Amino acid sequence: MKGDKKTKIVKTIKIDVDKCNGCRACEVICSAFHATPKYSSNNPARARIRVVRDPLRDVYVPVYAGDHTVAECAGRDKYTIDGKEYDECAFCRASCPSRDDFKEPDSGLPLKCDMCESDPPLDEPLCVQWCLADALVYEEREEEVEEEVEQDEMEAGLEALATKYGLQKIMDTVARMSVSKSA
Amino acid sequence: MRYAETGFNLEVDLTRGNIERVETDPRDTELYLGGLGTNAKLLWDRVPPEVEAFSPDNLLIFAAGLLCGTPATGCNRTIVSTISPQTKLMAFSMMGGFWAPELKYAGYDKVVLRGKSPDLVYLWINNDKVEIRDASHLRGKGANETAVLIREELNEPKAQVASIGLAGENRVFFASIEQGRSSASRQGLGAVMGDKNLKAIVVRGTRDINVARPEEYMELCNEVLEYIKFRNENPIPGVMPILTGLGSPQEMQVHDEKWHTENFMWGNSRVRRKGFWTDEIERAWTETMESMRTRLISCYNCPMKCGATISPPGSPTYMMKCFSKLTYTMAAMSDLDFGLKIAQRATEYGLDGFSTPQVMAFALELYEDGILTDDDMTGIPSGNDERFFWLLDRIVRREGIGDVLADGTYWAARKIGKGAEAYAHNTIKKHEQLPLKLSMLNPIYFLMYSTGEKINITQIEGQFPQAPWPTREEREEFVKDWIQVPDERFKQYLLDWELRGENSIPYYPTVEMCCDIVDWQERMHYIDDALGMCAGLSSFPLKPPYHIHNYPKFISAGAGIEMDEEKLTQATRRYRTLVRANNIRRGMRRADEKPPENHWKKRFPELEKELLDTYYKFKGWNNDGIPTKETLHELDLDYVAEEFVKRGILTEADESPKEDPGQNESK
């Protein structure tokens, strides 16, 4: 299912952990921006960025919230870089059952960074604007990608049902449903 | 709905182990703002002067400022208030760091502690869940060490910890409360915490803090950030390096220490070393700092990097800020390598970096002059640096002479006797001051030293330049974009101020101008301490981003309390007066309000008397420094006036009685 070539904009935040001063302004402004109404409250526990911070070990890692995953990894990673040991899963963006990060504190619903999607769009995500230490720098670039023809949602769903029950059974069901609706 | 504040205090009775969440009165916020303001009210209401520092009835209050936890840059201070064992007056020391916002997110504005726990405990605040936990396994542990151990045992790496070390446990009068890169150090707050058998307060919060008018508030925050960028790119010309920019004095990144090392006093605040700062010393000290400093670090939601992590070889890493870089070095007449190493141990012990080195230098001077003898100092090593480590260990354990010294120079001198009093020469209201001895009386500083109730010069100075620029052109340049002045007349004061001649100190600025200038500087510090704003972005540096013109807007849009400059000034006067009322009720009088005798070589008794007379009048205090009934009435503080009359502090005619029964016991 290959389609035409097209360009897309890749949004990147370059993170320089050596420049991070650990102030967590990024968490503050992120949670304020995503409050409803906008800026009406703030709460770093709701932020879609988190600074893993341990000054005595000189650990400073700003991490962004990525996708939610229902199952935790089979194993966990623990990095040591330049002699510094980082927390378990320190660099991982997922909200997952193994930890509290990137979840709404009340509901537990997953959070995900949206690069401060806004109308009109912002020049840069707010975490970058509020990082005067320049640990976070925003960069956009264009990338040429092959456009994939996406299966529409219903087709994907039906195909999954067909795999499970067989195509004939689905057709029978649809026929029965249409009879009962029209009656 | 309450905005900016949570509207709840946590009341903890350590004697009975009782914990309550108590809703506060929003009218108090309007009258006293929050932080220091409402702390002063609590102490007035609940801690009468008969209650001593180490009484279970003394309160120890940890308050987050009114705007802490909102996105206002640099608003992260915890204001700790109690009665000081050293000054016997109301003590309020502040710390930055991360603790105050976390308390807000947990749902509280203050933690109010009373009573005394039978065993060593710590308090664990996790949103609605608050428990008193055993801390017997933490006895004797360092302040940083304690924080690490507690986070581990609770499995809460994001919890914020304010803790004491051995000094606090042993009630050393200059023990601090440590919190990562910050500490509330002055006036012995750590000793009161130790007396209450409280090793630490640990807090984790995941709730929202609301602001009243979001868009407006955010615009104000963004303006402040823009101004910070502007000031970082436009340092003030013609002043010493540490005064050019924002933040606390940038001691962690500035290597040029010519000004401090040649103008501040060494040893027991007596020796000035002109010509000390040579290229060779600059090279050695720069190398020391760069080899031990791991990173420049910030407090919560602040881009300034006033602190640093320091890793002395062979010792654990600790965090440092500001002038404690030099206090140990200079008291011991040693070098920076020694200073950074001993500060590591002192930080774990939980000690004030201003008082501690001076107490040790004082002891060694007494020893050299034979007032303390070999009997007092049994086992003292012969090396200079080693002696300081030795004394430090004795003081925090209150062993031998350390037990006497642990009360600070003022009280120690009185216990030692034999003329030791003359060696405790650098205190105000019994509290050790910056080791500064200067030549010509500065009338502005005279007033600030005398009347400052934080009893620390850095907690009142800041908005007005310390000295005039030599040329009128330079002064004109400075006032051009001086938007922070409350009134244009302040620009004129500065423009006409000369280094020499008729318009120079001590007679210029005139007495009236001095009152005006001191009142402004003090007002800004008091506003910061109610809002929880760091002085480093407001009252302390020249041309800060927060000032009297934008603060009312922050309070209106943030807390939803309609505010203008006049109303804010009035509120600030109110709780500033309430701080004084607490101290007046404890016996503080005019006689206590004086800088150290030898602070300046050239003194002017008549001018000094006129300054104090005029300033007292300006503030609405009588000639003994007591707020008059009229003043108290104007400030809605009639309840203070009534108590003053009831206690015989004021007569019906607004005078102090001839024989004042409330005199401080210092005399």
Side-chain angles (χ1 to χ4, degrees), chain A residues 17-18 20-25 28-29 38-46 50 53 55-56 58 60 101 105 130 132, chain B residues 69-71 98 105 148 158 206-211 214 218 222 225 229 295 297-303 309 317 319:
Chain A
V17 297
D18 290 333
C20 179
N21 59 1
C23 79
R24 298 169 59 199
V28 175
I29 191 60
K38 202 184 270 184
Y39 304 127
S40 61
S41 69
N42 93 95
N43 175 0
R46 288 188 203 281
R50 183 196 151 199
R53 177 183 174 279
L56 294 178
D58 197 44
Y60 297 83
D101 292 334
W130 273 50
L132 300 200
Chain B
T70 72
F98 293 76
Y105 298 129
V148 171
K158 287 177 229 160
T206 58
R207 304 275 172 74
D208 300 346
I209 287 296
N210 301 297
V211 294
M218 199 45 62
N222 282 320
L225 268 189
K229 281 190 224 166
R295 187 184 294 247
I297 55 172
S298 304
C299 294
Y300 183 74
N301 191 21
C302 182
T309 28
T317 299
M319 289 168 262

Side-chain angles (χ1 to χ4, degrees), chain B residues 84-222:
Chain B
S84 162
Q86 188 185 42
T87 66
K88 300 181 180 289
L89 301 172
M90 175 178 166
F92 52 108
S93 198
M94 283 71 59
M95 55 186 175
F98 293 76
W99 198 91
E102 199 73 34
L103 183 71
K104 283 287 198 67
Y105 298 129
Y108 313 97
D109 299 318
K110 293 183 202 291
V111 181
V112 184
L113 302 143
R114 65 180 188 276
K116 203 181 273 203
S117 166
D119 305 297
L120 193 65
V121 293
Y122 71 89
L123 186 67
W124 166 219
I125 305 167
N126 184 8
N127 291 320
D128 277 345
K129 253 176 58 195
V130 184
E131 34 183 271
I132 295 171
R133 295 174 63 103
D134 174 49
S136 52
H137 57 299
L138 299 169
R139 188 178 297 282
K141 297 282 187 220
N144 277 335
E145 204 183 349
T146 297
V148 171
L149 289 168
I150 290 179
R151 283 197 192 101
E152 261 169 29
E153 79 179 38
L154 296 173
N155 192 23
E156 286 280 351
K158 287 177 229 160
Q160 300 300 336
V161 183
S163 55
I164 54 170
L166 193 54
E169 286 180 38
N170 288 334
R171 307 197 304 183
V172 173
F173 282 13
F174 39 95
S176 61
I177 298 168
E178 298 285 329
Q179 184 231 135
R181 67 162 298 295
S182 304
S183 61
S185 293
R186 304 291 277 159
Q187 303 179 52
L189 305 165
V192 175
M193 191 156 159
D195 182 65
K196 296 199 174 302
N197 254 329
L198 184 64
K199 182 70 177 171
I201 307 183
V202 188
V203 59
R204 171 73 182 139
T206 58
R207 304 275 172 74
D208 300 346
I209 287 296
N210 301 297
V211 294
R213 300 202 289 274
E215 293 285 344
E216 201 181 318
Y217 196 74
M218 199 45 62
E219 205 168 298
L220 290 163
C221 292
N222 282 320

Side-chain angles (χ1 to χ4, degrees), chain B residues 205-258:
Chain B
T206 58
R207 304 275 172 74
D208 300 346
I209 287 296
N210 301 297
V211 294
R213 300 202 289 274
E215 293 285 344
E216 201 181 318
Y217 196 74
M218 199 45 62
E219 205 168 298
L220 290 163
C221 292
N222 282 320
E223 278 170 24
V224 159
L225 268 189
E226 285 306 313
Y227 194 78
I228 292 172
K229 281 190 224 166
F230 166 80
R231 279 289 279 108
N232 287 348
E233 286 154 18
N234 294 276
I236 310 259
V239 293
M240 66 193 86
I242 56 162
L243 294 180
T244 57
L246 299 172
S248 294
Q250 296 297 301
E251 286 294 294
M252 296 301 109
Q253 40 187 324
V254 171
H255 292 304
D256 178 359
E257 291 293 1
K258 182 180 172 63

Side-chain angles (χ1 to χ4, degrees), chain B residues 535-570:
Chain B
L537 285 180
S538 177
S539 48
F540 192 72
L542 297 165
K543 296 187 179 170
Y546 293 100
H547 43 77
I548 191 65
H549 308 302
N550 63 4
Y551 261 152
K553 297 178 192 166
F554 267 95
I555 297 170
S556 301
I561 299 168
E562 283 322 307
M563 195 57 74
D564 55 30
E565 288 176 30
E566 200 184 329
K567 199 177 159 196
L568 178 57
T569 298
Q570 180 77 348

Side-chain angles (χ1 to χ4, degrees), chain B residues 288-289 292 310 312 318 320 336-344:
Chain B
T288 299
M289 191 41 127
M292 294 194 200
I310 308 279
Y318 70 109
M320 177 183 256
L336 188 60
D337 183 78
F338 161 80
L340 296 184
K341 282 177 182 161
I342 195 168
Q344 187 278 327

